[in-house]
Amino acid sequence: LIIQGINSGGNLPDVLENISQDMREEFSLRDEMEAETTSQALFIAFASLFGAPLLLGVSLQFITIFSGLMGKLDIGKLEQAGQTGMFTLSQMSISPEFFQIYALSVLIVSGLFSALLIGLLRKGSPVNGLPSAPVFMVLAVAMFFIIKYMLISMFGGMMAI
């Protein structure tokens, strides 16, 4: 650009000023893009490592409590007595054990895809996220168990489960 400016007879200080202005704008755009991708990567990491384990842990606790309640109720006697009201009661169609296996599977798969997506955002290729995939999977599963045991300690005594 400098050589073209000199050859075309342009004023060198003006050419240099325009080049420096263009470079500043480019660096500013790079910084903005990096900040955007960093915030997106942090959101993905938060959702994968805290949000999903929290939601799945609460769901597991809900299923566990209601399975325990339904096991203690004699639904046949309630139906015969007509005390079910406007809705019908039935046994839970999903067991807490099955849901825990499902939750762990979801967390492992989402940990893998979160790492791949963060690799894509940060470096431009999903393959760059593969080294962090095991870390995401293990942390998501660990967070699930931490949340599960915290919820059991809070609500387990309430329902004697």
Side-chain angles (χ1 to χ4, degrees):
L1 290 174
I2 295 172
I3 294 171
Q4 285 179 340
I6 293 171
N7 290 339
S8 66
N11 191 3
L12 188 58
D14 290 340
V15 171
L16 291 175
E17 182 65 33
N18 288 339
I19 291 172
S20 67
Q21 181 65 28
D22 289 343
M23 289 176 67
R24 279 190 288 255
E25 288 176 9
E26 184 179 335
F27 288 137
S28 175
L29 286 174
R30 273 192 199 161
D31 290 342
E32 285 180 33
M33 287 183 351
E34 187 173 327
E36 280 293 319
T37 57
T38 299
S39 65
Q40 291 169 350
L42 287 173
F43 175 76
I44 292 167
F46 177 80
S48 175
L49 299 177
F50 185 73
L54 176 66
L55 291 174
L56 291 168
V58 169
S59 298
L60 178 62
Q61 187 64 25
F62 178 80
I63 290 169
T64 303
I65 288 173
F66 276 91
S67 291
L69 286 175
M70 291 301 182
K72 291 179 183 178
L73 292 176
D74 189 3
I75 295 174
K77 286 184 181 179
L78 286 176
E79 288 176 350
Q80 290 174 355
Q83 297 177 0
T84 57
M86 295 173 47
F87 58 92
T88 59
L89 294 175
S90 63
Q91 292 294 327
M92 295 282 293
S93 61
I94 185 170
S95 70
E97 295 79 19
F98 171 78
F99 188 80
Q100 181 166 328
I101 292 169
Y102 169 77
L104 293 174
S105 302
V106 166
L107 290 172
I108 289 170
V109 170
S110 69
L112 170 67
F113 283 113
S114 295
L116 293 176
L117 190 55
I118 289 173
L120 178 65
L121 284 171
R122 303 293 293 169
K123 304 285 185 181
S125 174
V127 176
N128 293 324
L130 281 177
S132 60
V135 174
F136 270 77
M137 290 184 237
V138 168
L139 287 177
V141 169
M143 185 60 74
F144 171 75
F145 281 113
I146 290 169
I147 291 171
K148 174 187 167 187
Y149 290 116
M150 286 175 52
L151 291 171
I152 286 173
S153 68
M154 289 191 313
F155 299 111
M158 183 167 40
M159 295 297 181
I161 295 175

